[in-house]
Amino acid sequence: MRVRSVKRSRRERTWTHLPPLLRLLILTQLAFNVGFFAVLPFLAEHLGAAIGMAGWLVGLVLGLRTFSQQGLFVVGGALTDRYGVRPVVLTGCLLRIAGFAWLGYAQQTWSVIGAVLLIGFAAALFSPAVESEVARQAVLWEEAGQGPRTRVLALLTVAGQAGAFLGPLLGALLLSVDFRTVCLAGAGVFVLVLAGHLWLLPQRIPGRERIRVRGGVGDMLRNRRFLAVCCAYGAYLLAYNQLYLALPEEVERTAGSQAPLAWLFALSSLLVVATQLPVTHWAASRLDQRRSMAAGLVLISVGFAVVAVARPAALTGFAGLLPAAAFVVLLTVGQMLVAPAARAWVPDLTREGRLGLYTGALSSVSGLIVLVGSAATGSLLDAGLPPSVPWLALAAIPLLAVALLPGRTRVPGPSAG
């Protein structure tokens, strides 16, 4: 009982000791995801059933949204370095409001695509701005002796997962009216975020100098250590993407439908919300960023291996779902080790004043890996191979990523930008 109270007080102390700017940015991540996930889970059904798009066209629209978001993170990061956090975040909020309102009324293919691209590009603006400033502030928090930077970045992850959990509940509630109401509610969330940031977000953040000259991309592309971290992070994201690709196929086989998927997704989100901070505290006291990422990747690999070992038995029903549940748990725990560590490592690998660019590039490079890797994974799953082979191949990817991780070397604080 005493241990539990100590852990609770430690979490509360971390939050209350954060500067107001950090608390605002972390709550921003929560609000972003509530608004976004109120709409996204219901988009494919709306495009197919209400608008009548063919399946391939629905897939194309969803792919364009991902590209306009993940692929352009590097643009949002570079703009943040050049113009500062406030204008980029506010512009992103305005574009997201316009995109959601447009989507609610879009009925033709070209109109839907335009709205979806606008929604994705909005996130490519505000997400790198928020994430890079949280990372910079986390470094300053650590240098002030307040605790490991990963603890702050873990709060960002928790806020994002909480939003991803609450958003679909809001969307499902409003879907009883219609999809347009869901879109307008999502836009309403961003109206509130915009108003809050107009009031609370400082015009100029102390210590953050804007970069007046262009460039930086060439140096980044020559930064082998940073690119190695990007590739390892991309391997983790490719593994995480199997929640939407390989796992549904396995659940369909064992349960006869994909109904249990909702419970497995809820299990993943609740695990992050409930245990991310204790896991991060444990890792911060024992592991540096490299070892934390390596441990997480190994756990993810074990999750795939569990399904691969169980697959030849062709179990069905409740027993057949147990390996899938074990995979979700191990993948989620691996995520809790990898994601905060990767974000915490980026400031040590960044050229001075370029933290936004590098934070955006982490998502863009890893997003490209997921795009290519997902196509290869889909082909692997459809190739008619023995049932264990695709899962064993997926288990090998995180292990290969461990070998890519560079040695852990701290760079002096000014490089945080």
Side-chain angles (χ1 to χ4, degrees):
M1 191 72 175
R2 176 178 173 77
V3 172
R4 189 178 304 169
S5 65
V6 169
K7 288 181 179 178
R8 188 184 303 115
S9 66
R10 185 184 296 124
R11 291 196 293 270
E12 292 171 353
R13 187 167 62 249
T14 299
W15 176 255
T16 56
H17 283 191
L18 291 179
L21 176 61
L22 261 179
R23 278 184 275 175
L24 172 65
L25 294 173
I26 290 169
L27 290 175
T28 296
Q29 184 76 357
L30 171 65
F32 282 170
N33 278 11
V34 168
F36 180 68
F37 284 99
V39 177
L40 183 67
F42 311 104
L43 178 57
E45 175 67 18
H46 171 72
L47 297 180
I51 297 184
M53 287 187 179
W56 69 268
L57 189 53
V58 172
L60 175 63
V61 169
L62 296 179
L64 287 172
R65 186 209 64 78
T66 300
F67 172 77
S68 65
Q69 180 172 324
Q70 292 291 127
L72 297 178
F73 261 48
V74 65
V75 175
L79 290 173
T80 301
D81 290 338
R82 187 166 177 80
Y83 298 107
V85 174
R86 180 183 168 93
V88 176
V89 168
L90 296 181
T91 302
C93 288
L94 283 170
L95 293 181
R96 179 57 66 84
I97 292 165
F100 275 159
W102 185 0
L103 182 62
Y105 288 91
Q107 294 296 320
Q108 296 179 314
T109 299
W110 69 267
S111 186
V112 169
I113 290 175
V116 164
L117 289 174
L118 194 60
I119 288 168
F121 183 60
L125 290 179
F126 56 63
S127 289
V130 169
E131 291 175 13
S132 64
E133 187 56 34
V134 169
R136 196 181 75 86
Q137 293 289 331
V139 172
L140 298 175
W141 196 75
E142 181 182 73
E143 290 174 348
Q146 297 292 330
R149 68 183 78 171
T150 49
R151 196 178 299 169
V152 177
L153 294 161
L155 283 170
L156 187 70
T157 300
V158 171
Q161 283 293 331
F165 180 74
L166 295 173
L169 299 179
L170 173 64
L173 181 66
L174 296 174
L175 200 62
S176 60
V177 182
D178 59 17
F179 183 74
R180 180 175 296 167
T181 302
V182 175
C183 289
L184 294 178
V189 171
F190 281 89
V191 168
L192 294 175
V193 173
L194 177 65
H197 283 69
L198 278 169
W199 181 33
L200 297 172
L201 195 58
Q203 293 279 357
R204 183 182 178 279
I205 298 172
R208 180 152 198 157
E209 299 297 332
R210 299 179 187 178
I211 298 299
R212 298 298 181 185
V213 295
R214 297 178 182 178
V217 175
D219 283 341
M220 182 187 71
L221 293 177
R222 291 188 292 271
N223 190 331
R224 294 181 181 179
R225 292 167 55 78
F226 172 70
L227 293 177
V229 172
C230 287
C231 289
Y233 190 72
Y236 142 69
L237 283 180
L238 177 60
Y240 188 81
N241 198 54
Q242 302 316 308
L243 287 174
Y244 310 103
L245 192 58
L247 182 64
E249 181 181 284
E250 178 65 9
V251 169
E252 178 85 33
R253 182 194 67 80
T254 58
S257 76
Q258 293 190 8
L261 271 178
W263 294 101
L264 293 175
F265 289 161
L267 172 63
S268 177
S269 293
L270 290 173
L271 268 175
V272 174
V273 172
T275 64
Q276 175 71 76
L277 295 182
V279 167
T280 300
H281 177 76
W282 176 88
S285 63
R286 295 167 176 81
L287 307 172
D288 60 19
Q289 275 89 305
R290 185 190 190 282
R291 290 175 180 171
S292 184
M293 285 191 72
L297 289 166
V298 169
L299 283 176
I300 291 169
S301 178
V302 172
F304 284 111
V306 168
V307 179
V309 169
R311 193 66 176 80
L315 299 172
T316 58
F318 179 76
L321 285 173
L322 290 178
F327 163 71
V328 169
V329 170
L330 288 166
L331 178 67
T332 303
V333 176
Q335 171 197 1
M336 289 191 278
L337 290 169
V338 171
R343 289 178 180 147
W345 202 346
V346 170
D348 291 344
L349 304 169
T350 303
R351 302 300 180 190
E352 186 171 357
R354 300 291 184 184
L355 183 54
L357 173 67
Y358 279 64
T359 299
L362 178 68
S363 292
S364 292
V365 173
S366 55
L368 180 61
I369 291 170
V370 171
L371 180 63
V372 175
S374 293
T377 301
S379 300
L380 188 66
L381 292 170
D382 292 338
L385 299 168
S388 291
V389 171
W391 289 87
L392 286 173
L394 289 167
I397 293 172
L399 293 181
L400 292 173
V402 173
L404 287 175
L405 289 171
R408 179 75 172 93
T409 303
R410 286 293 296 272
V411 176
S415 66

